[in-house]
Amino acid sequence: MPIGQAKFGLLGGVVDPGKLELIETQTVTGVNSVEFTNIKEDIYNVHFLTINNFNQNGGDNFGMRFLLSNDGGTSYETSNYQMAYFEITPDGNTSENRSTSRAHFQNTIVSLDRDTSPRSVGGGYYYLYNLGDSSKYSFQTNHTMSGAGAVIGASFGSAVYTVAETINAFKFDDFGSSYSLWATFSLYGIAES
């Protein structure tokens, strides 16, 4: 077999390194949570999640939490998370948000001007690492933005789940409150050699 054929994945069963492979897309309207329970952690060591057209109802200080599961989504882990984020607020101020003791990964997409119409729209992306590797911690890096007209806020950061175990599902939810969200979530696996 010519080496070029294997390198570019032209033969069946050969992985094409670096290629994004869509696992699932969910478009949700007015729900309290969105779950991914078939993340193919046995195939992909790196996942890429995009969130587009994020919006929500509810009052100020709203945010979604991002929880991991080791039992296919039957339950979700609520301890052993650490995180650090750099935030830029719509008024131009910057701040650091960090913790060594969290109950979830922080989802820093928050809608601005929540009590006005039209509502703001947010989005972002997450890289998720080692979810299927029980010998390593799972962690994520992300960049999120939200805005209404010319008013924009952003966040950049990372978080780690400090237990080495297989993670096979995750979800975003509203902290058990009565908020609802609208968004399109797309989860990809990144093929490795």
Side-chain angles (χ1 to χ4, degrees):
M1 129 181 59
I3 293 177
Q5 286 182 337
K7 179 179 178 185
F8 295 108
L10 299 176
L11 301 176
V14 177
V15 175
D16 191 359
K19 181 180 178 186
L20 285 176
E21 298 177 359
L22 180 64
I23 296 172
E24 181 179 7
T25 294
Q26 293 187 46
T27 299
V28 296
T29 303
V31 300
N32 299 98
S33 68
V34 58
E35 296 182 78
F36 287 86
T37 57
N38 182 19
I39 64 172
K40 299 185 179 181
E41 76 287 345
D42 56 331
I43 299 172
Y44 303 108
N45 194 43
V46 179
H47 292 77
F48 181 65
L49 176 70
T50 62
I51 305 172
N52 291 300
N53 299 317
F54 177 87
N55 209 329
Q56 55 82 38
N57 70 345
D60 291 335
N61 301 317
F62 173 82
M64 300 294 286
R65 66 181 171 178
F66 184 179
L67 296 165
L68 302 177
S69 174
N70 60 13
D71 61 10
T74 301
S75 64
Y76 288 88
E77 301 304 311
T78 57
S79 62
N80 300 307
Y81 298 93
Q82 297 180 9
M83 60 86 169
Y85 295 98
F86 181 77
E87 299 173 324
I88 305 167
T89 61
D91 58 9
N93 292 321
T94 60
S95 65
E96 179 183 38
N97 184 2
R98 61 183 168 177
S99 174
T100 58
S101 177
R102 295 288 291 197
H104 52 83
F105 282 161
Q106 183 73 22
N107 173 18
T108 55
I109 302 174
V110 292
S111 291
L112 307 172
D113 301 326
R114 285 172 279 282
D115 298 320
T116 64
S117 184
R119 295 192 183 280
S120 63
V121 175
Y125 61 85
Y126 289 77
Y127 282 95
L128 306 161
Y129 304 91
N130 304 327
L131 299 182
D133 190 337
S134 63
S135 69
K136 296 180 180 177
Y137 290 169
S138 296
F139 66 98
Q140 56 97 340
T141 58
N142 70 71
H143 170 210
T144 61
M145 296 184 71
S146 56
V151 180
I152 296 175
S155 176
F156 307 85
S158 185
V160 63
Y161 175 63
T162 61
V163 177
E165 63 184 359
T166 299
I167 299 300
N168 53 18
F170 62 83
K171 76 172 178 175
F172 286 87
D173 77 10
D174 64 353
F175 293 94
S177 65
S178 60
Y179 298 123
S180 298
L181 75 121
W182 292 259
T184 298
F185 296 80
S186 293
L187 178 65
Y188 299 85
I190 299 179
E192 297 183 68
S193 58

